[in-house]
Amino acid sequence: SLVKYLPGLPKLPITPKTQNLIQVWKQFVEFKVQEGKIQETTIIKHYSDSEKVLHKVYKHNPCLLKPDRAFFFLNYLTNHYKTSTLVTYYSHWSACANWAVKQDIWDKNPYKYGLSELKSQYKSIKSGKAYLDSEVCIILEAFATNRFTSIFAPIKHSYYYEFLKFLFLTGVRPQFAIALDWEQILWEQGRPTRIYFDRAHTQGILKPSKGDRTANLLALLLSSAIASNCSGSSCLQNIQ
């Protein structure tokens, strides 16, 4: 198995093959943490969310978490969660099951079929279409005028207008834009010309982008519209 080729990592004790998914999941996460090859944000956000779902299912019906009840487990979840959400969860659970097979905890991965089914369904409903220019204008106008801001909201939607406009203009992911600092902007002749996104702010953690910090820089050559948005407004102040 994988563990015997990793020096310094203790072989987890082999337990009976009747363990349910929660039991195996906890061992899997413990192993990944010991291995030290998993992002902290993955543990805090994605693995935590996956485990919360398992606990909800357990409270409803513990038997659904048995590996031989995987079909009924999938039926239950599809009635309570969106396909796109389940694809993420099932990716984690299927990886956990593959690990369990290598550890001789289970004989096979009972969640592989479910993951395949969910992925095929997700591809059929995912459009991948970008917003039309007219739709972008409607969205930005709604933010700028606080059309949908609740009277009880502590912060009005207009506060995020410049930030949202920056996202539309650049197409950059929010976690990269939130981490943006002035030192990442290059200026020529008094105007910004290039932005380097080499860090991300996710789940309250500021970290370098995945991979090599210098080789995987996402460089964006600024158009005049983006340059105006950066230098002529409070965009970067809102981002920070």
Side-chain angles (χ1 to χ4, degrees):
S1 66
L2 174 62
V3 175
K4 69 181 180 182
Y5 296 106
L6 296 173
L9 291 180
K11 174 77 173 182
L12 295 177
I14 298 176
T15 48
K17 297 186 178 183
T18 56
Q19 293 187 89
N20 64 31
L21 182 53
I22 285 186
Q23 294 170 316
V24 175
W25 172 259
K26 290 182 178 180
Q27 295 177 69
F28 170 70
V29 174
E30 179 185 350
F31 173 84
K32 299 296 286 186
V33 171
Q34 291 177 2
E35 191 180 24
K37 295 182 179 180
I38 188 170
Q39 294 285 332
E40 184 180 1
T41 50
T42 300
I43 298 174
I44 294 175
K45 172 61 178 174
H46 300 297
Y47 279 14
S48 176
D49 288 347
S50 296
E51 186 167 328
K52 287 177 182 177
V53 173
L54 295 181
H55 283 290
K56 287 181 180 179
V57 175
Y58 184 84
K59 289 182 179 179
H60 171 73
N61 185 354
C63 291
L64 292 178
L65 296 177
K66 293 181 179 180
D68 60 354
R69 307 289 288 180
F71 175 79
F72 302 99
F73 176 65
L74 177 61
N75 283 345
Y76 173 79
L77 291 175
T78 52
N79 290 325
H80 293 80
Y81 296 91
K82 296 189 300 183
T83 301
S84 57
T85 302
L86 288 178
V87 167
T88 301
Y89 293 152
Y90 256 79
S91 296
H92 298 152
W93 297 331
S94 183
C96 170
N98 286 334
W99 172 85
V101 172
K102 292 179 180 179
Q103 293 292 318
D104 296 325
I105 298 174
W106 285 344
D107 294 324
K108 61 181 180 179
N109 178 356
Y111 305 103
K112 180 170 61 176
Y113 170 78
L115 177 60
S116 176
E117 282 291 302
L118 290 168
K119 283 184 174 180
S120 63
Q121 294 175 22
Y122 184 52
K123 285 182 179 179
S124 64
I125 62 176
K126 186 179 180 181
S127 67
K129 294 181 180 178
Y131 288 112
L132 299 175
D133 289 347
S134 58
E135 293 172 331
V136 171
C137 291
I138 292 173
I139 294 171
L140 289 175
E141 189 271 339
F143 271 78
T145 59
N146 294 303
R147 184 189 304 175
F148 300 107
T149 303
S150 167
I151 59 175
F152 303 105
I155 300 176
K156 293 183 178 180
H157 291 173
S158 55
Y159 176 80
Y160 302 100
Y161 170 76
E162 297 289 356
F163 178 64
L164 185 62
K165 181 180 176 183
F166 181 81
L167 295 182
F168 274 126
L169 287 170
T170 61
V172 70
R173 293 180 179 181
Q175 58 265 36
F176 286 97
I178 293 172
L180 185 61
D181 203 352
W182 287 106
E183 65 184 30
Q184 297 167 256
I185 303 176
L186 299 184
W187 296 70
E188 293 180 5
Q189 298 179 351
R191 66 185 296 272
T193 58
R194 188 176 291 269
I195 299 177
Y196 288 94
F197 298 95
D198 64 349
R199 66 199 71 169
H201 197 282
T202 308
Q203 298 299 311
I205 299 173
L206 181 64
K207 62 177 184 177
S209 57
K210 291 183 178 179
D212 181 69
R213 188 182 179 92
T214 57
N216 285 344
L217 293 177
L218 171 59
L220 173 68
L221 187 62
L222 296 181
S223 67
S224 13
I226 299 173
S228 174
N229 198 57
C230 288
S231 58
S233 70
S234 58
C235 171
L236 293 180
Q237 294 175 5
N238 282 349
I239 290 175
Q240 294 181 57

